[in-house]
Amino acid sequence: MGGLAGSATGRVLRDGTAGLFLAAVVVSGFGSSAMSLAAGVWVKSLTDSDSLAALALFAVWLPVLFGPLLGALADRLPRKPLLVWSNVVMALLLTTATAVDSAGRVWILFAVLLLYGCGSVLMDSAESALVAQAVDARLLGDFNGLRMMANEGMKLLAPLTGAALYARFGGASVALLDAVSFALAAGLYGRLRAQRPDRAAAGELTGGRAAGMRQVWGSPALRPLVLAGSVTMLCAGLNGATLYAVVDGTLGHSPAYAGVLSVAQGAGSVTVGLLAGPLLRRLPERVFSAAGIAVFAVGVGLRALPYDTVALGACALIGAGLPCVLIAAMTAVQRETPDALLGRTAATAGTLMMAPNAVALALGAGLVALVDVQVLLPLVGVLALVPAGLLVTGRRGPQARVPAGPRASATEV
């Protein structure tokens, strides 16, 4: 496996465009991960309200529901300028959060977080579309896997930085760190070069705002992957809602032990992100996704056992298995979708896969109060096996692998 990982990393990093994209993801992801931890703590410290602190995270997630509309905007505007100026706007937006110094001004932070979520969805749509144009098709699986690895790697490092900054200087310092990270990302996106005009925004919005949904639903390659991702992320939300019940009730630790489990899960995600590209070149996307979902399901079931070693291993399995269907689905979207529809299709697929996670977090909070986690977790694991089985045994559409030859062309923006 070490040879595969080294090959995947080298192939992407030697591609200048892919390397710039990854650098921008790392830089902006560092600030975003630090801010994601600080926002809830900031609201809690100012208001002493657990509900408002939870709403801080919800404010960031809410715009996911409007992904198709934001994706349509990404298809209408030139994508490279959109990425550059969106990052600039996000940097300026975050500086306004420095005015939040009392409970009476928390509404400013909520407004910032809501716009922050909108910007994130918009930029993800534009980035997915531009990556499909600018990155060699042979590197799309590698890029998406390494992008996942970079995001998860930042989640291991950045929250510690955010917590330290918050403890020493307060929430405004974390907001400024995030602002700087977006400004640096804007500079990196500004350096992107390619070889043909960005056609997406040159004319009318082809197919209307619902075109992304039609593209996902009408494609035998995309539909099963996206639906499997939806069910898997629903299970991931239910699993996530049991975290503190497992830490306290099953393992007998303080809530701080959740951080140890998160590190184990992040390590699993980093590993699979490194290996995703080579594996996608060897396996059909359905098989890669199904295998990842099965690994995730086993990990969820094992979390019911009251042993620290098993819990750490289970979290590593969850971290390794969960990203597989997301990586495969987004790679398929980039490969199967016409350029003019890529923003809407990527945003629609993201909404269909990620919205169930937010819903399940709320549903799981209620279920944990009614059902013992040692019963609930194995049931969730069994539920997760359903989409894995359907991917392998269902009616087959095209079983594409990452092509061996170069793309017909790359992008000039």
Side-chain angles (χ1 to χ4, degrees):
M1 286 294 187
L4 290 178
S7 173
T9 303
R11 286 171 62 82
V12 173
L13 295 182
R14 283 193 297 270
D15 181 280
T17 301
L20 280 173
F21 271 117
L22 280 176
V25 167
V26 169
V27 168
S28 62
F30 185 87
S32 296
S33 296
M35 188 66 185
S36 66
L37 172 68
V41 178
W42 197 354
V43 172
K44 169 69 174 175
S45 66
L46 290 175
T47 66
D48 197 32
S49 169
D50 291 330
S51 297
L52 288 176
L55 280 176
L57 180 60
F58 180 73
V60 177
W61 273 90
L62 182 61
V64 171
L65 300 177
F66 304 99
L69 292 176
L70 293 167
L73 182 60
D75 279 338
R76 186 180 290 276
L77 299 173
R79 287 160 183 159
K80 175 185 166 180
L82 176 60
L83 281 172
V84 172
W85 287 106
S86 293
N87 276 277
V88 170
V89 169
M90 295 280 271
L92 295 174
L93 175 68
L94 281 159
T95 62
T96 66
T98 59
V100 180
D101 56 5
S102 66
R105 291 188 171 183
V106 164
W107 68 269
I108 298 175
L109 182 57
F110 277 101
V112 168
L113 293 173
L114 186 62
L115 292 172
Y116 188 99
C118 291
S120 296
V121 174
L122 179 63
M123 288 190 293
D124 281 348
S125 302
E127 183 185 278
S128 293
L130 194 55
V131 163
Q133 293 178 328
V135 175
D136 191 313
R138 294 170 298 176
L139 299 180
L140 283 176
D142 295 319
F143 175 86
N144 289 323
L146 291 174
R147 185 181 189 277
M148 181 71 69
M149 183 190 74
N151 278 330
E152 294 302 320
M154 291 305 98
K155 290 177 183 177
L156 297 179
L157 301 174
L160 298 176
T161 303
L165 275 177
Y166 184 88
R168 181 67 179 87
F169 300 108
S173 65
V174 186
L176 289 175
L177 170 67
D178 203 5
V180 170
S181 75
F182 278 113
L184 291 174
L188 290 168
Y189 283 125
R191 294 181 58 198
L192 287 174
R193 295 182 61 82
Q195 296 168 356
R196 75 176 181 208
D198 182 0
R199 297 177 292 124
E204 296 297 322
L205 192 63
T206 306
R209 292 176 178 82
M213 180 64 76
R214 290 195 296 271
Q215 175 70 14
V216 170
W217 197 254
S219 169
L222 300 185
R223 184 174 63 248
L225 289 171
V226 171
L227 290 179
S230 297
V231 177
T232 304
M233 293 307 296
L234 177 75
C235 294
L238 294 174
N239 173 67
T242 68
L243 175 61
Y244 291 104
V246 168
V247 168
D248 181 21
T250 303
L251 300 177
H253 292 292
S254 70
Y257 192 73
V260 178
L261 298 181
S262 296
V263 169
Q265 183 168 331
S269 295
V270 167
T271 301
V272 80
L274 197 61
L275 299 174
L279 290 175
L280 277 170
R281 283 193 292 276
R282 288 159 173 79
L283 299 172
E285 286 161 349
R286 284 194 181 202
V287 174
F288 175 74
S289 298
I293 295 170
V295 170
F296 163 76
V298 170
V300 170
L302 288 175
R303 288 184 73 224
L305 299 177
Y307 307 106
D308 285 2
T309 303
V310 174
L312 290 169
C315 286
L317 289 175
I318 290 168
L322 184 59
C324 292
V325 68
L326 303 178
I327 294 170
M330 294 314 295
T331 301
V333 164
Q334 291 164 340
R335 189 192 66 245
E336 298 287 331
T337 306
D339 177 70
L341 303 179
L342 260 170
R344 280 163 287 174
T345 305
T348 298
T351 295
L352 290 174
M353 290 190 291
M354 302 309 295
N357 182 263
V359 173
L361 283 169
L363 176 62
L367 285 175
V368 166
L370 299 174
V371 183
D372 190 289
V373 293
Q374 292 181 307
V375 176
L376 179 61
L377 286 170
L379 290 176
V380 173
V382 170
L383 176 61
L385 288 174
V386 173
L390 291 176
L391 281 176
V392 173
T393 63
R395 187 165 66 90
R396 306 285 174 90
Q399 289 293 283
R401 292 183 176 90
V402 176
R407 290 183 68 88
S409 54
T411 294
E412 170 75 23
V413 279

